[in-house]
């Protein structure tokens, strides 16, 4: 009798649970195995092993910006791939089995020779690479050697050039750029070629949608970007600043408060409160540069506040003539 009673009670509990689960309460889906680096984009398996194969993956590869998905490799072969802000991993088949290859995004995105930087490319602080005939010098060479450049960056494919107002150099897998506004020892950084290539070529909206991006109340972690319309500008001319605010899912943040401080060559600092960001996540300011001597630099500090969360950015422009 007790056994029958226990069976009836068990069936009753199961039935109640079934009813409760069927009245509008959805079970939380189990996330994929791997790491999402708090971005909503999961990295797992061979791609995760490749990510951690370098001692400083955040600096070399950046954060994941897509899910793993099927795409077309540089060789025209359909394969599994995943984009990071600075790189793309391709899973290729070889006679020895599958292995991860870091795509040659530098080659894919190099637009051809540009204006050369006025810097010597010969001497004891330079190294010429016989494979391409290009030289790498000074801090770029130090960065190359310190980060196993032969493996992680490949051979140089351009000279030191001026692009977007900066000194840059393209390699097979990466692009280095010189950012004088950064602290010492961190002037050399890698361009976000992964993001550039994905936005330019792939545009796979499903692969670029983070898991959990539609969960209400999830923190957005705003990210601020700042750039000037004319990085090199004439004295006493008009300059325009653009501040772009996106969340960690690369979606525009509307209504963010934007404050900036411009520091001029004589040490004077000018603070401005810009309009809140629009529906595209953008706020702008147009102002007169003032009278300065050629080669003098004006630096910028940006503070963004959105829903109680802060983000900062820096930029600069140079009076060129």
């Amino acid at each position: 009798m007790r056994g029958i009673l226990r069976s009836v009670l068990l069936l009753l509990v199961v039935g109640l649970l079934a009813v409760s689960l069927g009245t509008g309460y959805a079970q939380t889906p189990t996330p994929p195995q791997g790491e999402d680096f708090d971005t909503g984009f999961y990295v797992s398996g061979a791609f995760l092993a490749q990510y951690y194969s370098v001692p400083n993956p955040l600096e070399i590869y950046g954060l994941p910006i897509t899910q793993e998905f099927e795409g077309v490799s540089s060789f025209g072969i359909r394969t599994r791939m995943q984009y990071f802000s600075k790189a793309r991993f391709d899973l290729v088949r070889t006679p020895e089995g599958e292995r991860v290859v870091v795509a040659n995004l530098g080659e894919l995105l190099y637009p051809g020779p540009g204006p050369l930087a006025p810097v010597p490319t010969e001497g004891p602080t330079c190294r010429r690479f016989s494979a391409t005939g290009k030289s790498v010098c000074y801090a770029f060479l130090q960065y190359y050697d310190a980060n196993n450049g032969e493996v992680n960056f490949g051979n140089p494919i351009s000279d030191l050039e001026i692009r977007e107002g900066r000194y840059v150099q393209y390699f097979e897998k990466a692009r280095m750029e010189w950012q004088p506004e950064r602290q010492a020892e961190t002037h050399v950084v890698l361009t976000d070629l992964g993001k550039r290539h994905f936005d330019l070529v792939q545009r796979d909206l499903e692969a670029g949608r983070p898991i959990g991006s539609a969960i209400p109340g999830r923190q957005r972690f705003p990210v601020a970007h700042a750039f000037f319309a004319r990085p090199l500008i004439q004295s006493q001319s008009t300059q325009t600043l653009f501040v772009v605010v996106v969340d960690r899912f690369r979606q525009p943040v509307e209504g963010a408060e934007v404050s900036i401080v411009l520091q001029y060559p004589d040490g004077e600092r000018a603070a401005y409160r810009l309009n809140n960001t629009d529906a595209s996540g953008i706020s702008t300011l147009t102002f007169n540069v003032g009278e300065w001597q050629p080669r003098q630099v004006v630096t910028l500090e940006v503070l963004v506040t959105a829903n109680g969360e802060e983000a900062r950015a820096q930029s600069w422009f140079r009076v060129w003539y």
Side-chain angles (χ1 to χ4, degrees), residues 101-319:
V101 173
V102 180
N104 285 2
L105 295 187
E107 287 186 324
L108 293 174
L109 290 173
Y110 182 51
L116 297 179
V119 176
T121 58
E122 301 291 342
T125 57
C126 296
R127 182 188 307 152
R128 182 172 294 276
F129 289 70
S130 59
T132 60
K134 302 298 183 182
S135 295
V136 183
C137 303
Y138 311 108
F140 281 14
L141 181 58
Q142 293 175 342
Y143 190 87
Y144 186 93
D145 289 340
N147 291 283
N148 195 12
E150 182 179 359
V151 173
N152 293 324
F153 310 140
N155 291 309
I157 60 173
S158 80
D159 296 306
L160 187 64
E161 300 175 350
I162 300 176
R163 303 272 185 180
E164 302 151 22
R166 297 189 184 277
Y167 289 177
V168 306
Q169 187 164 19
Y170 282 83
F171 296 78
E172 291 170 318
K173 302 178 183 180
R175 188 183 87 164
M176 294 183 194
E177 59 182 65
W178 175 261
Q179 297 187 0
E181 71 274 14
R182 293 171 62 91
Q183 295 180 350
E185 308 301 326
T186 63
H187 290 311
V188 180
V189 299
L190 298 179
T191 306
D192 288 347
L193 292 190
K195 183 180 185 308
R196 291 191 180 194
H197 191 265
F198 179 78
D199 291 343
L200 179 67
V201 177
Q202 294 291 341
R203 298 185 179 274
D204 188 318
L205 298 180
E206 195 60 36
R209 181 175 293 117
I211 294 175
S213 60
I215 298 177
R218 186 165 182 173
Q219 286 180 287
R220 301 183 75 184
F221 298 102
V223 178
H225 304 275
F227 61 94
F228 290 99
R230 301 165 66 186
L232 304 178
I233 195 170
Q234 184 177 1
S235 179
Q236 292 187 313
S237 57
T238 300
Q239 178 68 280
T240 300
L241 166 68
F242 297 87
V243 177
V244 182
V245 184
V246 297
D247 62 16
R248 63 177 179 176
F249 308 123
R250 297 187 295 148
Q251 299 301 308
V253 176
E254 183 178 3
E257 299 177 358
V258 181
S259 300
I260 70 166
V261 176
L262 291 168
Q263 179 159 331
Y264 291 98
D266 62 358
E268 180 182 350
R269 294 167 64 88
Y272 297 90
R273 171 71 166 83
L274 279 62
N275 292 330
N276 289 1
T277 53
D278 60 19
S280 299
I282 299 174
S283 181
T284 64
L285 175 70
T286 300
F287 59 98
N288 187 275
V289 169
E291 185 174 1
W292 305 106
Q293 297 300 314
R295 295 183 176 273
Q296 289 187 312
V297 174
V298 177
T299 60
L300 167 75
E301 297 176 2
V302 178
L303 172 63
V304 168
T305 304
N307 299 324
E309 300 174 78
E310 291 186 352
R312 297 178 183 271
Q314 296 179 327
S315 190
W316 60 278
F317 66 87
R318 186 186 299 273
V319 177

Side-chain angles (χ1 to χ4, degrees), residues 1-13:
M1 186 68 180
R2 291 180 179 175
I4 295 174
L5 181 59
R6 279 197 296 267
S7 298
V8 171
L9 288 174
L10 179 60
L11 288 172
L12 180 60
V13 170

